[in-house]
Each structure stands twice: as C-alpha cells, then as structure tokens.
Amino acid sequence: MARPKQFDPEHALDAAMDAFWRKGYAATSAQDLVDSTGLGRGSLYNTFVSKHRLFEEVLRRYEEQWTTRQEAILEGPEAVRERIRAVMMTVVDEETAAQDGRRGCLAVNAAVELAGLDADVTRLVRRIFGRVEEALYGALARARRDGEIDADKDPRALAQFVLNAMYGLRVLGKTADRHTLTGIVDTTLAAL
Amino acid sequence: MARPKQFDPEHALDAAMDAFWRKGYAATSAQDLVDSTGLGRGSLYNTFVSKHRLFEEVLRRYEEQWTTRQEAILEGPEAVRERIRAVMMTVVDEETAAQDGRRGCLAVNAAVELAGLDADVTRLVRRIFGRVEEALYGALARARRDGEIDADKDPRALAQFVLNAMYGLRVLGKTADRHTLTGIVDTTLAAL
DNA sequence: CACCTTCTGGAACGGTCGGTCAAATACTCG
DNA sequence: CGAGTATTTGACCGACCGTTCCAGAAGGTG
C-alpha cells in the first residue's frame, strides 16, 4: 500500500529495552532512544507514539521473554529444589556476569522507580510479579503432591517467600559479591 | 560574622529527603526541591552546592536515622526472632501504612536507580547495606552463643539471608498486600 | 552607628527535554 | 509509469532542566 518500514520494530524494541534497563525510565531521554535504536525521531514517535507508550511496550516484551523462560525452567522434570535453584541462579548469574553496571531486573527497576506514581506501569509490573509467583506456586504445589515438599508446608506461602528472595537478590546484587548471593540462595532453598 | 540563615538546614534536608523519596533522584527537579524545602534557589544552592551533593547529604541523613533505629531494635533484650521480626515488620508497616504511594526504602530506591551509574551513591548505599547487615550479624552471633540459634547455623549467612528478605519486601511491598508480606516474614523467621 | 559579610529571592542562562511537522522519499497498486 | 500512501529525515517547538548571578536585605562586629 505504501512505503514499508525500513527497520524491524522488535529489534528497535530490544534496543529501547536495553536503554531503559541501563538507565531507568526518567533518566533515558528521547535522544538516548534515538541513539540506541538508530531510528529517526519521526520514525520512533510514528511507531511508538510516546516515550511512555514505548516503555509500556518494552515492559510487555520483557514479560513475554523473561517470564516465559522462568516458567520453562520451573516446569522441568528435575527435583523442585533444583528447578528453584536454577531460576535463582539465573538471577545471580545476571547480576554478577556484567562487569559494567549490574542492571537488575527491568520489572523490579520499574516497580521501584514508578510503582505508585504511574498506574499503567504499576499494573504491568503487578502482572509480571504475579506470573512468576504463579509459576513458582505451580512447581511447589506439584512437588507437595509428589511428596518432595512436606505436607504441612503451604505452597502459596513458599512461592511468595521464594519470589521475595529473588527480588531481594536483585537489590543486593547491586552491591554484593557472587559468594554472598549464592549463600543466600542456599539458605533460601534450605527453608523449603 | 554576617547574616545568619533564616532556615534550619536539617529541616530543609528532611523536606528534600521526602521529595527524593517519593519521586526518585532523576525525576525530582530543582523546582521540586525549591517547593518542598520552601527555600529560594539561591539559598538552596548556596547551602547544598548541587542537586547531586544534596542527594548525597540526604542519603547520609537517611543512614543516620534509619540505620540507628534498626540497630537499636536489634540490640534489644527480647528473643532474637522477636527482634528480627520487629525490624522486618517495620518494613511491612512502612509499606502498607501509606495510602498514597509506597515509597519503599530510600537506600534501596537509590541502589536500584543509581548503583553502577553513580560512584558516590553506590558507595553510600553499600555502607548503609553493610551497617544493617552488621547489626543483624551482631544479633544473630550473640543469639548463637546464647543457644537461641542452632550451633550449626552460620550467623553471617543468616544475616545476609534476612537482609535479602528485607530488601525483597521493599520490592514486593510496591504491589503486594499486607497479608502476603506478613506471611513472607513468618516464613523467613521459620528458617532461622 | 557604619561596615562588612552572608543570606535571600528571583530573574536569567545555555542546554536539553519530550514531542511535532513538513518536505523528501520509496514503496504498492492500477 | 503515474497516483496515492506511509515512512523517513532532521529542523524546530515551547517548556523545563540544573545552575549562576546579582541587587538588596539582614545581622554581627567595631
């Protein structure tokens, strides 16, 4: 019908995600987004409407990618504790791998920066948190039925407990060393 | 020697802390600081040099106030688990009390927004985290000597585990309800 | 009291913010 | 190949950014 886009919107979304992830929402300028995506200002606004809408889209994409990966690990055939160790260790790995700035979890960063101030972001973050909790709950409930987890433990409480520890790692990961973080993972797993 | 200040710098610092706490560093403008402190631009810059220096001063004041309070609770005469429950519940209370925007912990917010990007803030945050960990460690080491905690438990690992859970609460506190948060506190305490 | 220093309030600074727009361009379809 | 439509480019917008500056006010000191 007309001139097609010269860029891949998903690729641009990934570039924008990287920018927001490193610097946060407020500190990432329109110019930063132009630079990181390589798009012109016009194309950027023509495609993504506004900085805010772009950020929402980025969060949705993050949910799609990250949550799906966590769900896949948690639905695996290994022992629950191994599966939960695996998801927790992806967090530790992410935080300690990058030598240049540990950027944490985009959803956690967004929650800390904007929850309560921005209704749309709050809603998106709540959904991401909810999905991960649900995946943990699924794994733990199944493990309890299978006798891997004591019958007197509440899978819902355990799921929230693990989720809490994972998000703690995102915060402590900003300053703590790998040894400390793996120690926390061990202590957390021992409580299941 | 000359004209004395018409305002109390500590009071201004508290007002600035409130502004930074609610909106974060980047999203708080010089105008916001003028409005919240009630100072003129001249007085503000004459006293606090720059937005960045002011934020550092605010973080130091936060450390002084918050850390001291946590240390006081942890040095108390009650059973360790009660003392640790008390510090964790102050977090839960803070997050669920405010109807208008749960602002979290200033140090956690600063860590998530700026650690890795701002060396001065990273250093200050690391010190705050360190002091709280040390206070927890002191309480747990004493409890182990007194037989309140099993001898085969490592007080350092437990201190970091509790610290991690506290910072998780700061994140989850953005979206979770009080019942969920208290449940997490219970599960965490049961692991000591 | 006059002097000197500091503080105060607000105008003003260059720069950047998020966002818009019109002209040039490149594609599809008839 | 010409008409029509959407994308691209980058100049441009008013508002606001963090910061500076200065004229005048207000004390303490001699």
Side-chain angles (χ1 to χ4, degrees):
Chain A
M1 261 284 221
R3 182 175 180 175
K5 288 193 202 302
Q6 285 182 346
F7 63 93
D8 173 7
E10 300 217 332
H11 190 269
L13 226 37
D14 284 335
M17 189 188 297
D18 187 64
F20 281 128
W21 206 335
R22 272 182 293 113
K23 309 217 301 176
Y25 177 73
T28 300
S29 69
Q31 189 56 48
D32 288 332
L33 295 166
V34 166
D35 294 343
S36 64
T37 59
L39 303 196
R41 270 178 129 69
S43 301
L44 204 137
Y45 275 85
N46 182 42
T47 308
F48 300 111
V49 183
S50 70
K51 180 183 166 184
H52 192 269
R53 292 278 197 88
L54 171 54
F55 188 62
E56 292 180 56
E57 208 57 54
V58 160
L59 268 182
R60 272 188 282 270
R61 187 166 172 79
Y62 180 79
E63 172 185 355
E64 190 181 293
Q65 295 177 345
W66 172 256
T67 314
T68 306
R69 211 175 320 149
Q70 301 289 66
E71 286 167 350
I73 297 176
L74 288 169
E75 285 165 4
E78 302 87 353
V80 231
R81 285 179 185 74
E82 283 319 302
R83 276 175 280 148
I84 289 177
R85 178 186 299 276
V87 296
M88 296 192 80
M89 286 308 292
T90 61
V91 174
V92 173
D93 290 342
E94 279 187 23
E95 298 300 325
T96 56
Q99 53 278 45
D100 56 330
R102 306 167 174 204
R103 52 188 194 169
C105 161
L106 184 62
V108 169
N109 297 357
V112 170
E113 182 178 1
L114 295 168
L117 299 174
D118 184 320
D120 301 307
V121 171
T122 306
R123 189 168 33 77
L124 285 165
V125 159
R126 181 172 277 131
R127 194 169 72 194
I128 297 177
F129 287 4
R131 278 189 59 178
V132 180
E133 178 185 325
E134 233 39 50
L136 286 165
Y137 173 73
L140 286 160
R142 167 155 70 93
R144 203 182 81 134
R145 280 197 304 275
D146 295 353
E148 273 193 275
I149 294 277
D150 291 350
D152 64 343
K153 297 269 177 71
D154 175 7
R156 178 60 61 187
L158 289 183
Q160 291 166 343
F161 166 74
V162 172
L163 190 71
N164 190 65
M166 284 177 65
Y167 294 156
L169 288 176
R170 292 299 193 175
V171 174
L172 234 39
K174 299 283 182 178
T175 64
D177 60 22
R178 192 179 169 84
H179 178 257
T180 300
L181 300 180
T182 53
I184 290 167
V185 172
D186 290 337
T187 310
T188 302
L189 288 170
L192 301 182
Chain B
M1 261 287 226
R3 181 177 179 177
K5 289 191 201 307
Q6 284 182 344
F7 63 93
D8 173 8
E10 301 217 331
H11 189 270
L13 226 38
D14 284 335
M17 188 188 297
D18 187 63
F20 281 127
W21 207 334
R22 272 181 292 116
K23 309 219 298 176
Y25 176 73
T28 301
S29 69
Q31 188 57 47
D32 288 332
L33 295 166
V34 166
D35 294 342
S36 64
T37 59
L39 303 195
R41 278 173 124 75
S43 302
L44 203 134
Y45 275 85
N46 181 42
T47 308
F48 299 112
V49 183
S50 70
K51 180 184 166 182
H52 191 270
R53 291 280 197 85
L54 171 55
F55 188 62
E56 293 181 55
E57 206 58 54
V58 159
L59 267 182
R60 273 188 281 269
R61 187 167 173 78
Y62 181 79
E63 171 185 355
E64 190 181 295
Q65 296 178 343
W66 172 255
T67 316
T68 306
R69 212 175 321 150
Q70 301 289 66
E71 285 167 350
I73 296 175
L74 289 168
E75 286 165 4
E78 302 86 354
V80 230
R81 283 178 186 77
E82 282 319 302
R83 276 175 280 148
I84 291 178
R85 178 186 298 277
V87 295
M88 296 191 79
M89 286 308 291
T90 61
V91 174
V92 173
D93 289 342
E94 278 187 25
E95 298 301 326
T96 55
Q99 53 279 46
D100 55 331
R102 307 169 171 201
R103 51 188 196 173
C105 162
L106 184 63
V108 168
N109 297 357
V112 170
E113 182 177 2
L114 296 168
L117 300 173
D118 183 320
D120 301 308
V121 170
T122 306
R123 190 169 32 76
L124 285 165
V125 159
R126 182 173 274 130
R127 195 169 72 195
I128 296 176
F129 287 4
R131 277 188 60 179
V132 179
E133 178 185 328
E134 233 38 53
L136 286 164
Y137 173 73
L140 287 159
R142 167 155 70 92
R144 202 181 83 135
R145 282 197 303 276
D146 295 353
E148 272 192 276
I149 294 277
D150 290 350
D152 63 344
K153 297 268 177 71
D154 174 7
R156 177 62 60 187
L158 289 183
Q160 290 167 343
F161 167 75
V162 171
L163 190 70
N164 190 65
M166 283 177 66
Y167 294 156
L169 288 175
R170 292 301 193 175
V171 175
L172 234 40
K174 299 283 181 178
T175 64
D177 60 21
R178 191 179 170 87
H179 178 257
T180 301
L181 301 180
T182 54
I184 290 167
V185 172
D186 289 338
T187 310
T188 303
L189 288 170
L192 300 183

